[in-house]
Amino acid sequence: MGCAGILLSYVLAYLLPWDVATAVSAAPFVPLVLLMLLVPESPYWLVRKKRIDAAERSLRVLLGRSADVTKELDAIRSTTTLKQSKVKNQLQELRRGRNIRPVVLILALFVLRELGGKAPVYNYTVYMFRSAGVELDAFYCTVFVGLTRFGATLVSAFILDYLGRKPVLVTSATISALMLAAAGATVYLEVEGASWVPLAAMLVYVGAYAIGLGPILWAYLGELLPTPVRSMAASIITFFHFSSSFGVNYMFLEVVATFGLGRTLMVFGSVNLVIAIVVFCFIPETKGRSLQDMEKAFVANGRKEGKDNPIFEADEQPPHTDPLSQTQSDSHEATTASCASSVSSNGPCTPSNSRTGPCTPPGTRTLPCIPLDTHDARCAPRSTNGSEFRAGDKLSSRSSSNASSSSASFTEATIPAFIQPEEPTLQITYL
């Protein structure tokens, strides 16, 4: 509807004197105020005020009477607190990295968009076409600009949810940069017989802007700003957006008088190219993502925020399992379960080793020790007084015989197959 209003203002400026056109343009503000009374209150604001029933009614108006709003309401309540309505608490939340990152990024995009020449193109259309030497009537060309913007906005409404915000925004900024650079180069070089190039380039720029740069940044205010700082962040961004727009409009004529229209347009084109780079590198895709997902997107490392953010991975790869370690784990679990079953009849179970050793209940005969590796401390030989030796300790001469007799019980047949070393084999391949 905003593009329709701009188109109407261009038509009025073409047909009526400027004072009459200005008075007629003020008339739509009356129905605008009346229609605002029908807009439901924000569910997030109502939840902060503990008006849960009113928040549910607001969601039903926004999502439809037949929609199930329970899940959405629970998600809002899980991310909303009463402290978020206080300015002091929002300032504290704004200092957190996960909250300040999206605010700074969106603020930078809004300011860069104004520095990219959006406001002068729409507000100084007649002046620019006359300065560029376009042969058609300048007011007539502005009507073409309004029609192009209106049609491109309709196209944007149909393709954004299909293609996604990020690719459309990157493409829009890139095309805008190329068109402004082409128009500026043509004016700067004063190419003869190419008066149609600035007009065609400007029409393409307006169409590309209306598809991506125009609507998507405003959509990012609701899709990327974190809930704890949304109201304050939106106010800050809006303030700097209109302040930069005012500054660019105010300085445009002086800049053109100093550097010329051609150079100014080329500078506008370079700024739009910077927008494309920033979006490609740092802004995540918001298509199909909930507000809670987007808040998590800026918790990870900043280098992963732009694309392939790991929090958006739906499927996780199963961990790699070593067959040998799995077999040992199963054997240990089976031994522990067997020990636990004998606790009731033999007393408490005490493991002989805290690392991997099986536990032996009192009153039962100890089974032969089966080493799991060469450094298994559970199978260290015992001294004559019954105390255990640690793996690697030196044996006295008195206990050497006990060690040799104890080791004799560990024959190759008692060692599990998965522990026995494999003999090297020689394989001969005949060609």
Side-chain angles (χ1 to χ4, degrees):
M1 294 301 293
C3 296
I6 293 176
L7 174 59
L8 180 60
S9 65
Y10 288 157
V11 174
L12 292 176
Y14 179 71
L15 298 176
L16 303 174
W18 70 269
D19 51 352
V20 179
T22 303
V24 174
S25 299
F29 285 97
V30 177
L32 178 63
V33 174
L34 298 177
L35 291 175
M36 288 293 294
L37 300 176
L38 303 178
V39 177
E41 187 57 78
S42 169
Y44 284 88
W45 184 84
L46 293 173
V47 169
R48 292 195 192 104
K49 300 300 181 180
K50 293 185 178 182
R51 298 167 58 182
I52 307 302
D53 294 337
E56 183 176 357
R57 291 193 299 269
S58 178
L59 283 174
R60 293 191 183 279
V61 175
L62 295 172
L63 302 179
R65 296 290 180 180
S66 59
D68 184 11
V69 300
T70 304
K71 183 178 179 180
E72 186 71 20
L73 183 60
D74 292 340
I76 294 175
R77 297 181 66 180
S78 64
T79 58
T80 306
T81 61
L82 285 176
K83 295 182 179 180
Q84 296 173 1
S85 59
K86 298 181 180 179
V87 176
K88 179 181 178 180
N89 294 321
Q90 290 196 41
L91 289 175
Q92 293 176 351
E93 289 291 334
L94 197 59
R95 298 172 60 184
R96 298 178 180 269
R98 65 173 182 269
N99 294 330
I100 193 62
R101 291 191 194 105
V103 174
V104 172
L105 285 173
I106 299 176
L107 175 61
L109 291 178
F110 269 94
V111 174
L112 288 173
R113 188 181 70 174
E114 297 305 316
L115 295 177
K118 182 267 297 186
V121 169
Y122 290 121
N123 297 331
Y124 294 94
T125 309
V126 174
Y127 171 80
M128 293 177 65
F129 285 145
R130 286 178 177 175
S131 300
V134 177
E135 297 179 356
L136 294 177
D137 182 79
F139 287 96
Y140 193 65
C141 292
T142 57
V143 177
F144 281 156
V145 170
L147 288 172
T148 303
R149 185 177 183 181
F150 179 73
T153 304
L154 295 180
V155 174
S156 175
F158 289 100
I159 68 173
L160 281 184
D161 290 334
Y162 179 74
L163 298 178
R165 277 70 160 162
K166 183 175 180 177
V168 174
L169 184 55
V170 172
T171 305
S172 172
T174 304
I175 295 176
S176 299
L178 294 176
M179 292 302 102
L180 288 174
T186 303
V187 174
Y188 177 73
L189 298 176
E190 298 181 355
V191 180
E192 296 182 2
S195 61
W196 59 271
V197 175
L199 174 61
M202 285 299 174
L203 292 179
V204 176
Y205 164 78
V206 169
Y209 174 89
I211 290 177
L213 278 172
I216 293 180
L217 292 190
W218 290 109
Y220 277 166
L221 290 181
E223 295 176 346
L224 290 180
L225 291 183
T227 301
V229 297
R230 179 175 293 116
S231 59
M232 175 172 289
S235 301
I236 294 174
I237 292 172
T238 305
F239 171 78
F240 280 99
H241 163 249
F242 286 106
S243 298
S244 58
S245 178
F246 172 79
V248 172
N249 277 312
Y250 183 79
M251 297 296 296
F252 175 71
L253 294 179
E254 296 184 9
V255 172
V256 170
T258 304
F259 299 100
L261 180 61
R263 292 179 180 178
T264 304
L265 291 178
M266 286 189 286
V267 171
F268 288 161
S270 63
V271 175
N272 281 274
L273 186 60
V274 173
I275 294 177
I277 296 174
V278 171
V279 173
F280 181 80
C281 295
F282 300 105
I283 301 298
E285 176 58 63
T286 60
K287 174 188 174 184
R289 307 295 181 185
S290 65
L291 182 61
Q292 290 73 29
D293 291 337
M294 300 317 303
E295 290 181 358
K296 296 176 183 178
F298 294 95
V299 177
N301 192 332
R303 291 175 297 178
K304 297 182 179 180
E305 291 171 1
K307 56 180 180 178
D308 300 332
N309 197 318
I311 69 161
F312 291 151
E313 298 294 335
D315 301 326
E316 296 182 357
Q317 297 293 334
H320 176 71
T321 304
D322 187 7
L324 178 60
S325 61
Q326 182 66 29
T327 306
Q328 294 177 355
S329 176
D330 295 343
S331 176
H332 174 63
E333 291 178 1
T335 305
T336 305
S338 175
C339 175
S341 64
S342 62
V343 171
S344 58
S345 59
N346 298 310
C349 176
T350 304
S352 61
N353 186 275
S354 60
R355 183 171 64 90
T356 55
C359 53
T360 303
T364 60
R365 189 175 65 178
T366 304
L367 298 177
C369 180
I370 301 177
L372 295 180
D373 51 43
T374 57
H375 301 286
D376 196 343
R378 297 178 299 107
C379 298
R382 296 178 180 272
S383 62
T384 55
N385 57 3
S387 60
E388 292 186 358
F389 289 85
R390 294 184 178 179
D393 289 347
K394 295 182 179 180
L395 300 179
S396 62
S397 59
R398 185 178 64 179
S399 61
S400 298
S401 59
N402 294 336
S404 60
S405 61
S406 175
S407 302
S409 62
F410 304 121
T411 62
E412 185 176 351
T414 60
I415 300 177
F418 66 88
I419 300 178
Q420 298 179 14
E422 296 182 1
E423 293 294 332
T425 58
L426 179 62
Q427 182 177 359
I428 301 177
T429 304
Y430 294 91
L431 300 178

